[in-house]
Each structure stands twice: as C-alpha cells, then as structure tokens.
Amino acid sequence: MTDGTRRTFYPIVDYRDPVKAMDWLERAFGFERHEVARNDAGGIVHIEMRYDTGIVMLGETGKGAGEGGGNAGMYVAVDDPDAHHDRAKAAGAEIVIGLADKPYGSRDYSARDLEGNVWHFGTYRP
C-alpha cells in the first residue's frame, strides 16, 4: 500500500493439541515461544511462536479461525536451510520435498508437521 498505513499479518494455524504443537514446532523447526496466554484455570487460550521477525499464532481446532488441523501451508525464510532441514528431520518431521536449489535462486525444503500442515523453509525472501 502506498497510503503510508502500515499493515502486518499474522497467520493462524489450528491444531487439535496446540500445546503439543508448540513444543514440537520449537523442537523440530526452532520456533521460540513469544507469548502463551492462560485463562484463570491455567488452560491455554492463545499461543504465539516467533521465528526471527515473524510470528505465527496457534489456535485450537474448532475454537479459532479454521475448521481443522492439517490444512495450512507456510513459507519461512531461513539463513541456513541445510542445518534447518537436518534439525527438522532429526526431530521426526516428515520431509515431503527434499532440500534442493531452485531455479529462482532459493534453497528450499518442505516438511509436514505432526498434524499434517506443510511448512516450507528456504532462503527466498520476497
């Protein structure tokens, strides 16, 4: 936009078990907990995960924006896709597209998370 207004978006990915997803995303993909909000009973009501300058919000299936887990796709720019790939694979991520150099100058791979969402990681930065 050229009107001077700043616009930012934050994707939301729904999971049947967002707490388990939070732990897995941290272990497998290197995301960091940014905010974990709890209700008075101690239950999780909101999760934000950070990767570099990006934030993704995790919701619970049926309580958030989506109808169910396993249907989202995200692209995350990383500095070292080889190391990132190796970390994800070691944590048990299903690699669905192997690590490769792309014709548009990026080095990418894609992995499925514990509920079937596909995450794409590479050096491409639009």
Side-chain angles (χ1 to χ4, degrees):
M1 296 285 170
T2 57
D3 65 1
T5 302
R6 184 176 162 169
R7 292 169 176 84
T8 306
F9 69 93
Y10 302 100
I12 299 170
V13 181
D14 283 345
Y15 290 93
R16 288 180 290 275
D17 187 341
V19 173
K20 184 176 179 182
M22 173 179 63
D23 293 339
W24 194 88
L25 291 169
E26 192 172 51
R27 186 175 64 255
F29 295 155
F31 282 72
E32 297 174 356
R33 297 170 196 213
H34 177 67
E35 176 157 344
V36 179
R38 298 180 182 275
N39 60 24
D40 292 339
I44 303 278
V45 295
H46 180 74
I47 297 172
E48 294 177 6
M49 301 290 292
R50 176 184 297 277
Y51 192 92
D52 194 22
T53 61
I55 298 259
V56 62
M57 298 179 187
L58 309 184
E60 187 173 349
T61 301
K63 294 185 179 179
E67 292 297 316
N71 57 7
M74 302 285 167
Y75 183 89
V76 181
V78 298
D79 292 330
D80 187 348
D82 293 75
H84 196 276
H85 169 274
D86 294 347
R87 175 187 183 146
K89 191 172 182 179
E94 176 192 353
I95 306 301
V96 295
I97 299 174
L99 188 61
D101 294 323
K102 303 297 182 182
Y104 47 89
S106 185
R107 183 159 176 79
D108 295 352
Y109 82 95
S110 301
R112 193 177 317 278
D113 71 17
L114 71 168
E115 289 200 17
N117 299 298
V118 178
W119 295 79
H120 311 275
F121 298 94
T123 56
Y124 179 71
R125 296 182 191 268

